[in-house]
Amino acid sequence: MSSYVPQGMSSADSLGIRRRKSNEMMMKVPIITATFWAVKILSTTVGETFADFLAVNVGLGPLPTTGMMLVLLAIALVIQFRTRRYTPWIYWLTVVLVSIVGTQITDFFTDTLGVSLYVSTLVFTILLAVVFIVWYLQERTLKITSIDTVKREAFYWAAILTAFALGTAAGDLATEALGLGFLWGTIIFGALIVACAVAAKLGMSTVTAFWIAYVLTRPLGASIGDLITQNKGYGGLGLGASLTSILFLVVIAALVIREQIIVRRHGVLTKDQASTRGQGQDLAWAFGASAALVIAATLVAGSSLAPQQASTSAAGGQHAAQGPLGDLSQFSTIVNDVTNKVKAGNLTGATTRVKDLETSWDSSEAGLKPMSPSDWGTMDKAIDRELTALRASQPVQSDCLHASQDLQKVIAGLSA
């Protein structure tokens, strides 16, 4: 069959135009399958644990970690926008980085600026609504199957970043307001996502159901991460951030590699084109990978590979005093060491030792904070004052001693 070629244009030129138009219609994001949701939740978890690993275990701190992640996200977005079609490894790398940055944006407002979670939740809800309104007014569609132009992709990533920030704020607010631990957080947020899927089947707008579930994946992923990484004394598996990140990255890599193979074999979907993959096979891969992760995490947690559980009993084998935050003896021991070093004039040694306090405190946040957010905040501020005094460009012994003794009083008051 011959095709029409405009006057003055060669067949090769006409073919090139048709190819360019075809490329412009190609999807830049994955289709929504069980694998999509599995990788999305795993990416959220690994984003949370890897950020904790860099900030706490490596010792970069929150601000340098955020700055580094912002640079990496900018690079990933440039690569993502320059691609002509959905490329699994680029897309999911960008999602992981968005997860980290979106979480750290909310944490910056809450922990550094002291903005209430009620306020940040409201602000990010309004921002997400604005993104959707402008997106719809510009494109007349919010369908995830229509991300095939640069403008729509820009709206898509803006919505994702805002959704992550909102998910962090709303999830933390719900956890603290309801006093949920990470186990109940995992159960409740997981059930809410399933409810979104059921609602979509019963007639709810698929676009609305998708974005509600997308926001909920962030607190779900964080709860799963805390459940696996947190100390066994707080009800977690005690794997720590580094082992958890490795396990999750391995599973994510397996699922993304499979996605990459499918894309190479069948190409990228164009607008309104049906998927060629089997739903049964997709479900098997998603649930199989998730089950393998659970089994691996459980086995590692029960082996010597897992980090040693911090002691929760006071020195001498006596039962430690229990306050609103439980047993604080491990922190008291470190603070006492720091205080003694400061009294002796060994500020360098005190600064080195206080790093152990920072690491232990940050690692235990998910387990302690839900017990009593206000008391946790009181101790957190006291720890920050000690860190600030010891890490000053020219630390003053009297200031360091005052901050350390004040922290001792806070711990004593919370342990009474």
Side-chain angles (χ1 to χ4, degrees), residues 56 328-339 349-365 368 376 379-388 390-391 403-408 411:
V56 179
L328 299 177
S329 59
Q330 59 173 312
F331 308 111
S332 179
T333 299
I334 299 174
V335 175
N336 290 340
D337 289 346
V338 172
T339 304
T351 302
T352 301
R353 181 59 168 143
V354 85
K355 176 62 182 175
D356 296 330
L357 173 64
E358 181 183 33
T359 301
S360 298
W361 181 248
D362 288 343
S363 298
S364 63
E365 177 181 350
L368 292 176
W376 182 90
M379 185 164 167
D380 187 60
K381 290 177 181 178
I383 291 175
D384 285 342
R385 287 193 293 269
E386 178 160 43
L387 293 173
T388 300
L390 284 168
R391 292 174 177 174
S404 192
Q405 290 175 335
D406 180 63
L407 179 55
Q408 284 180 313
I411 294 176

Side-chain angles (χ1 to χ4, degrees), residues 37-312:
W37 289 114
V39 179
K40 171 64 183 66
I41 294 169
L42 294 174
S43 299
T44 301
T45 302
V46 81
E48 179 88 1
T49 57
F50 188 67
D52 289 344
F53 173 74
L54 291 177
V56 179
N57 299 78
V58 177
L60 295 180
L63 289 180
T65 300
T66 301
M68 183 172 67
M69 292 299 106
L70 279 170
V71 172
L72 292 176
L73 174 59
I75 294 172
L77 282 172
V78 169
I79 297 174
Q80 169 67 21
F81 274 94
R82 287 177 66 87
T83 58
R84 300 298 300 171
R85 64 179 192 171
Y86 166 56
T87 306
W89 75 267
I90 297 175
Y91 174 86
W92 287 111
L93 173 62
T94 307
V95 169
V96 170
L97 292 171
V98 169
S99 170
I100 297 173
V101 172
T103 297
Q104 292 180 319
I105 287 173
T106 301
D107 290 345
F108 174 76
F109 279 107
T110 303
D111 298 335
T112 304
L113 300 183
V115 177
S116 166
L117 285 172
Y118 290 94
V119 174
S120 56
T121 299
L122 176 62
V123 169
F124 287 125
T125 299
I126 294 173
L127 286 177
L128 186 58
V130 169
V131 171
F132 285 141
I133 291 171
V134 176
W135 183 355
Y136 185 79
L137 291 176
Q138 290 284 319
E139 301 297 320
R140 293 299 173 184
T141 181
L142 297 177
K143 288 185 178 180
I144 312 306
T145 54
S146 296
I147 311 300
D148 48 26
T149 68
V150 173
K151 182 185 289 187
R152 290 179 179 180
E153 188 177 8
F155 282 124
Y156 176 80
W157 287 110
I160 285 180
L161 179 59
T162 311
F164 268 114
L166 172 59
T168 302
D172 290 349
L173 177 60
T175 299
E176 292 183 13
L178 300 176
L180 300 177
F182 24 82
L183 176 58
W184 276 108
T186 300
I187 295 172
I188 291 174
F189 291 122
L192 289 174
I193 291 176
V194 172
C196 289
V198 173
K201 292 290 186 181
L202 296 177
M204 182 181 184
S205 166
T206 55
V207 173
T208 302
F210 171 84
W211 283 109
I212 292 176
Y214 203 97
V215 170
L216 289 171
T217 56
R218 193 279 163 194
L220 173 61
S223 296
I224 293 173
D226 290 336
L227 180 63
I228 295 176
T229 62
Q230 284 300 300
N231 191 283
K232 293 179 181 179
Y234 302 132
L237 293 179
L239 261 66
S242 55
L243 279 175
T244 301
S245 298
I246 292 171
L247 286 175
F248 275 62
L249 283 172
V250 169
V251 177
I252 289 173
L255 291 175
V256 171
I257 289 172
R258 177 177 178 266
E259 282 284 298
Q260 196 76 55
I261 293 173
I262 291 174
V263 167
R264 288 186 176 180
R265 286 180 178 175
H266 303 288
V268 179
L269 295 182
T270 58
K271 185 187 296 185
D272 299 325
Q273 181 181 352
S275 172
T276 55
R277 69 179 64 183
Q279 290 186 353
Q281 191 179 61
D282 182 74
L283 282 169
W285 268 87
F287 284 105
S290 301
L293 178 61
V294 171
I295 294 172
T298 304
L299 292 175
V300 173
S303 72
S304 59
L305 294 175
Q308 292 297 314
Q309 181 178 344
S311 174
T312 56

